[in-house]
Amino acid sequence: METAALLWTAALVAAGVIYWFVWVMGAAEVQGKRAVDLKMGSITRDKVQDKYKQYWSFFRRPKETVELSAEKIPAFVDTFYNLVTDIYEWGWGQSFHFSPAIPGRSHREATRLHEERVVDLIKAGPGHRILDVGCGVGGPMRAIAVRSGSSVVGITINEYQVGRARAHNRKAGLDGTCEVVCGNFLQMPFADSSFDGAYSIEATCHAPRLEDVYAEIYRVLRPGALYVSYEWVTTALYRADDPEHVETIQGIERGDALPGLRAHDQVAEIARKVGFQVLEELDLALPPAGPWWNRLKMGRIAYWRNHILVTITTILRIAPKGVVEVHEMLYETAGHLTRGGETGIFTPMYMIVCKKPIDGEKLPSS
């Protein structure tokens, strides 16, 4: 009897530990994803590992090789977001971007304030139709729609993210205000001059050529409308002759589906090239902003807890084969991002505010 009681006690404890690890600790920051829900987008279960290998073989190559295959980049970005969207949502919430740390504020509050800044920058208000370029699962879209009273249309290349964003919009009661379209932001399915403002939050870094996406945004904005972008760039501290700097930046590029990070001083030049008037430039990561990378400094215990969760769900065939490799890739990438932030050679929030001139308006000579 004592042996049986011990076995039952051990079984109950084990069940409790598994429940705590998977259902309690495995919940997303913003409820909606748990460790048991990692499906890897719209990729069929038997293809996840193969798709990961194809992605990695493409983006691990030198930047020059990727540039020669620019036409293939949108498809690999789509693959990337199929692979990572569920993991991002599980551990990160519904906003796939960074924000400056704010003393006394949670990550969630800092994220919301970083998103709501867009409303003031582009002067969004009731009755306006605003474009979210690279909307992901729509966290920023919902925050901006609520704050501004505008209607927001988001575009993402990933069909799985479209479904997730629409589900979140319905849950938030915003499906009448927020619309999500599946498409390539290099060839957007919108009419000329059809938006009253636009923004992109850490999204246009996926474009092979920044001028191509900026030109599309310029096309769909009405004259006089404003556009703001938070760009991923290297800073003035980056040195191309420093092997550690190069490895850090290439690590960010490999692990985030980037065809090549641009330098901070290239962004405004590109915006002017397509016709924009540049109103403001500012690295939002500079002091007094708090370190944006603190959120990435996951402790070893937390990492191994997540890694064990992912491994167990894979062994039990709850999650498909390949999830463990994707999780490891993202953890390694977090290390590169952290080093980029700590050394100051990289920022994910170089802000540029632009205006589409009104017909006949004279542009500044600068």
Side-chain angles (χ1 to χ4, degrees), residues 74-350:
F76 278 100
V77 170
D78 182 32
T79 295
F80 173 76
Y81 280 110
N82 273 324
L83 292 170
V84 305
T85 290
D86 280 347
I87 295 178
Y88 277 3
E89 234 186 298
W90 167 44
W92 203 255
Q94 298 171 21
S95 297
F96 299 172
H97 63 81
F98 297 103
S99 60
I102 303 175
R105 300 289 190 121
S106 67
H107 291 311
R108 190 182 303 181
E109 290 176 310
T111 296
R112 177 180 55 79
L113 291 171
H114 191 53
E115 294 167 350
E116 289 181 348
R117 181 198 295 257
V118 167
V119 176
D120 297 326
L121 290 169
I122 65 172
K123 298 178 171 54
H128 289 171
R129 186 172 185 247
I130 304 299
L131 175 63
D132 182 329
V133 184
C135 65
V137 299
M141 171 193 301
R142 288 180 287 278
I144 289 165
V146 170
R147 173 77 167 76
S148 68
S150 302
S151 296
V152 184
V153 179
I155 184 168
T156 173
I157 199 169
N158 185 258
E159 187 174 356
Y160 182 72
Q161 288 189 335
V162 171
R164 292 298 299 161
R166 288 174 178 170
H168 288 307
N169 290 346
R170 287 192 297 271
K171 188 175 180 180
L174 294 171
D175 48 333
T177 304
C178 297
E179 178 186 350
V180 190
V181 175
C182 188
N184 185 345
F185 59 32
L186 299 174
Q187 297 173 313
M188 292 192 284
F190 307 123
D192 295 356
S193 305
S194 55
F195 288 95
D196 301 300
Y199 65 90
S200 51
I201 299 180
E202 303 182 27
T204 55
C205 51
H206 292 298
R209 286 166 31 96
L210 188 59
E211 48 264 62
D212 292 342
V213 63
Y214 275 13
E216 269 294 272
I217 295 166
Y218 184 92
R219 178 183 67 80
V220 302
L221 285 176
R222 65 168 177 77
L226 299 173
Y227 166 62
V228 62
S229 184
Y230 299 165
E231 293 286 347
W232 282 33
V233 297
T234 57
T235 72
L237 296 178
Y238 173 70
R239 296 289 177 265
D241 58 354
D242 186 323
E244 291 186 6
H245 284 195
V246 172
E247 174 53 29
T248 295
I249 296 304
Q250 288 185 349
I252 293 171
E253 292 168 347
R254 288 193 301 266
D256 283 298
L258 306 181
L261 282 168
R262 285 163 276 271
H264 72 287
D265 56 1
Q266 294 177 310
V267 179
E269 178 184 350
I270 292 170
R272 293 189 183 100
K273 180 180 177 181
V274 304
F276 278 120
Q277 178 182 349
V278 177
L279 304 181
E280 186 179 1
E281 293 180 81
L282 179 64
D283 183 359
L284 299 177
L286 293 175
W292 55 266
W293 59 90
N294 278 353
R295 196 175 179 188
L296 291 169
K297 288 188 172 181
M298 182 185 295
R300 297 300 295 179
I301 293 176
Y303 167 69
W304 283 111
R305 186 266 297 180
N306 289 352
H307 193 69
I308 290 169
L309 275 171
V310 170
T311 302
I312 289 173
T313 56
T314 303
I315 291 173
L316 296 177
R317 298 189 178 182
I318 296 171
K321 291 173 66 176
V323 175
V324 172
E325 290 92 330
V326 175
H327 184 256
E328 289 174 344
M329 177 190 75
L330 294 179
Y331 181 70
E332 181 181 338
T333 305
H336 291 300
L337 287 163
T338 300
R339 284 190 291 278
E342 289 177 335
T343 58
I345 66 172
F346 164 78
T347 176
M349 54 190 74
Y350 188 81

Side-chain angles (χ1 to χ4, degrees), residues 345-361:
I345 66 172
F346 164 78
T347 176
M349 54 190 74
Y350 188 81
M351 182 193 76
I352 180 169
V353 183
C354 305
K355 176 183 177 182
K356 180 175 179 177
I358 297 171
D359 293 344
E361 185 176 11

